[in-house]
Amino acid sequence: MSLTLVGSCHCRAVRFSVATHTPQPYQLCYCSICRKTAGGGGYAINLGADSASLVVEGRDALGIYRAEIVGEDGRCEVSEGQRHFCRRCASALWLYDERWSELVHPFAPAIETPLPVPPERVHMMLRYKANWVVPAIGEGDTTFDEYPEQSIEDWHRARGLWVD
């Protein structure tokens, strides 16, 4: 049985629920897109959840942002990731990408359901962190210049934290 997460934007115009097997808020992303659209400490924390279970109230207040990404070769492309936010209060709510249509990634700060404290954290996309950010790397934490080797599901399963 999965865990149901309940979340909302700050003004409560958008409320949602979604089922997850991976509730640990362990993965901190320092990329410029995450930190500028959803991060208060220079990073964002995304959770993993089952997109088919997503129930949304207040869709009329939802906006979607698809970032422009400039590659090292100078070419620009529009991200496949759809960052959902409240158009009234600007709260970041979740990320969805059709390439992984079975998943949705709620932003941990939008979740009202009590979340577990992770035993360790993954700091990812450190190559792109802002110069003023000093990551608080704890004992047992792992760091990655770009993406980690384990998926959110694999990380939870390897630590016995998968919620059945």
Side-chain angles (χ1 to χ4, degrees):
M1 182 108 217
S2 59
L3 174 66
T4 298
L5 302 176
V6 175
S8 69
C9 64
H10 184 261
C11 73
R12 302 202 41 85
V14 180
R15 292 171 307 286
F16 65 95
S17 65
V18 65
T20 185
H21 296 281
T22 57
Q24 300 280 333
Y26 78 97
Q27 195 176 71
L28 286 63
C29 181
Y30 294 84
C31 81
S32 64
I33 301 166
C34 282
R35 75 177 144 81
K36 288 185 174 193
T37 61
Y43 57 85
I45 302 174
N46 299 334
L47 302 168
D50 175 14
S51 64
S53 70
L54 181 65
V55 176
V56 180
E57 295 177 38
R59 283 192 182 270
D60 59 319
L62 273 179
I64 296 175
Y65 174 68
R66 292 181 62 202
E68 292 182 356
I69 302 170
V70 179
E72 291 182 18
D73 61 0
R75 288 189 301 159
C76 183
E77 65 181 59
V78 176
S79 171
E80 298 288 329
Q82 301 170 21
R83 287 169 167 76
H84 291 74
F85 65 96
C86 175
R87 291 184 296 122
R88 296 183 188 165
C89 69
S91 295
L93 300 169
W94 66 83
L95 171 69
Y96 175 77
D97 190 321
E98 289 182 3
R99 292 174 293 180
W100 299 279
S101 61
E102 70 281 1
L103 298 172
V104 64
H105 297 284
F107 292 108
I111 301 300
E112 297 162 4
T113 304
L115 295 172
V117 176
E120 61 199 57
R121 295 186 187 269
V122 168
H123 301 263
M124 62 184 268
M125 305 300 275
L126 286 167
R127 172 181 175 196
Y128 304 103
K129 75 172 188 58
N131 69 331
W132 55 267
V133 173
V134 179
I137 311 296
E139 188 177 332
D141 287 3
T142 52
T143 61
F144 297 90
D145 284 339
E146 294 197 358
Y147 292 102
E149 294 138 7
Q150 288 184 313
S151 68
I152 292 174
E153 177 178 341
D154 291 343
W155 186 93
H156 279 77
R157 287 188 184 279
R159 288 154 185 81
L161 300 171
W162 177 265
V163 176
D164 285 324

